[in-house]
Amino acid sequence: MIDRRQLPLNALRAFEATARRASFTAGAQELSVTQSVISRHVANLEDIIGRKLIERSAQGFGLTPEGEALLPVVEQAFDDIQAAMNRMGASRTLRVHMPPAYANAIGMPLLRAFRKDHPDVAIRVGSSYVTGSPEEKVDVAILFDHVRGDRPDRHLLRRIRFTPMCAPEVAARAADRPLADFLAGEELLHVLVDGEAYDHLWTEFGARRGVPIPAGQGMTFESFVFAAEYAAGGSGIALGDAGAPAPAPLVAPFPDDVVELDFGYYLVVTPDGAGDPMVDLFRRWILGRSDAA
């Protein structure tokens, strides 16, 4: 006989996600863990109950009669817990991290829409000029990073498509000139990427477009936000995200010269946020609205 002090909550969540999605792989992706972790949790739950819950065979995935009976009970229990915690609202603050460029162009409209759908969820938003994981403790983070292979702990929201951006008076000098000629006569503004040379983005852009990139360091910034602010004063050209609104008053003088480099924005649930129904609610909501979806 099992009492509530012995309830294996992580194993129950692993079983519920796997059974509902009818896949160990999909269950692992939903919970942002590896497939081996999911398998261990389900096996542990089966050991505790003393019954097989999921049939594993070459013919595919299937629930046993015991699994069929347990799934709706666990689903309803988690739904009830999630609803109760959401109603509590301010008693739990969701800690979210976003890079400044993403927050300014995309993140704030998303947060406004999320708050409209879920007004009782309190959110604290932080930001830092880093590639990869932030240093502060957060529940969920949106990261600017290299696009890598599929990983269960991160979900690609959107790839970044780069194009030159500058102030209107600088863009006016691009009229009837080829891109290479225009770039050769202007100051290029660089944005740092961890682990790469200061001019990595411009070098990659030039290589993909077959355009020589002028030598010389010029101005280098920790974030596109700073580069855009500098360019807005009428000096220099920065590589901005063609898929997001250009920061006022910047314009893209060559809108067809767009390059999709190996960078993107990822959603990551941190260990602090794993297993939290409120974090799971936010994760599901924002993934449903991502470009990658």
Side-chain angles (χ1 to χ4, degrees):
M1 185 68 67
I2 300 174
D3 66 33
R4 66 179 56 200
R5 292 173 299 176
Q6 299 170 312
L7 284 175
L9 295 180
N10 285 336
L12 287 167
R13 291 188 75 243
F15 165 73
E16 189 270 341
T18 300
R20 174 167 41 79
R21 301 288 296 275
S23 165
F24 280 94
T25 300
Q29 290 174 342
E30 178 171 316
L31 297 181
S32 298
V33 296
T34 63
Q35 186 172 332
S36 62
V37 170
I38 288 284
S39 297
R40 288 198 301 270
H41 278 315
V42 172
N44 180 51
L45 184 62
E46 291 174 330
D47 288 342
I48 293 172
I49 295 174
R51 296 284 191 278
K52 278 285 183 185
L53 300 174
I54 297 176
E55 294 288 359
R56 307 163 179 82
S57 68
Q59 285 69 42
F61 182 99
L63 293 178
T64 65
E66 291 80 7
E68 294 279 5
L70 182 61
L71 176 58
V73 176
V74 177
E75 282 185 305
Q76 186 61 55
F78 283 136
D79 285 345
D80 290 345
I81 293 170
Q82 177 175 302
M85 292 185 69
N86 288 338
R87 287 193 297 270
M88 293 176 187
S91 63
R92 169 71 166 90
T93 298
L94 181 67
R95 301 169 298 177
V96 179
H97 171 273
M98 294 180 178
Y102 182 92
N104 285 356
I106 302 167
M108 293 305 134
L110 277 176
L111 289 174
R112 283 193 291 269
F114 179 80
R115 287 282 291 168
K116 185 176 181 180
D117 290 347
H118 303 282
D120 294 332
V121 177
I123 301 176
R124 187 177 74 208
V125 182
S127 189
S128 58
Y129 303 105
V130 296
T131 303
S133 300
E135 294 183 359
E136 70 270 20
K137 285 192 173 184
V138 296
D139 300 306
V140 61
I142 294 171
L143 308 179
F144 170 76
D145 207 347
H146 291 276
V147 173
R148 309 177 193 276
D150 290 339
R151 285 174 46 178
D153 64 335
R154 57 173 55 196
H155 308 275
L156 182 63
L157 296 176
R158 61 194 305 271
R159 294 181 71 111
I160 301 176
R161 300 166 57 244
F162 291 92
T163 191
M165 292 185 179
C166 56
E169 58 268 33
V170 177
R173 298 198 286 268
D176 300 321
R177 296 171 66 188
L179 175 63
D181 184 43
F182 174 63
L183 295 182
E186 303 292 340
E187 179 184 20
L188 302 186
L189 307 180
H190 303 283
V191 176
L192 289 176
V193 176
D194 286 356
E196 304 289 355
Y198 77 93
D199 60 351
H200 177 74
L201 294 181
W202 271 114
T203 299
E204 288 294 306
F205 178 87
R208 303 285 180 92
R209 295 301 301 169
V211 173
I213 298 300
Q217 183 163 337
M219 296 289 292
T220 305
F221 302 89
E222 288 187 336
S223 167
F224 174 70
V225 172
F226 292 156
E229 185 172 346
Y230 183 88
S235 300
I237 309 168
L239 279 176
D241 186 353
L250 300 190
V251 296
F254 295 88
D256 294 329
D257 283 294
V258 175
V259 170
E260 188 177 87
L261 301 181
D262 295 327
F263 290 93
Y265 290 111
Y266 286 90
L267 180 74
V268 177
V269 176
T270 70
D272 284 342
D276 189 317
M278 187 182 296
V279 174
D280 191 53
L281 171 71
F282 181 81
R283 181 184 62 82
R284 290 171 184 259
W285 186 94
I286 200 167
L287 285 179
R289 289 155 180 80
S290 72
D291 290 357

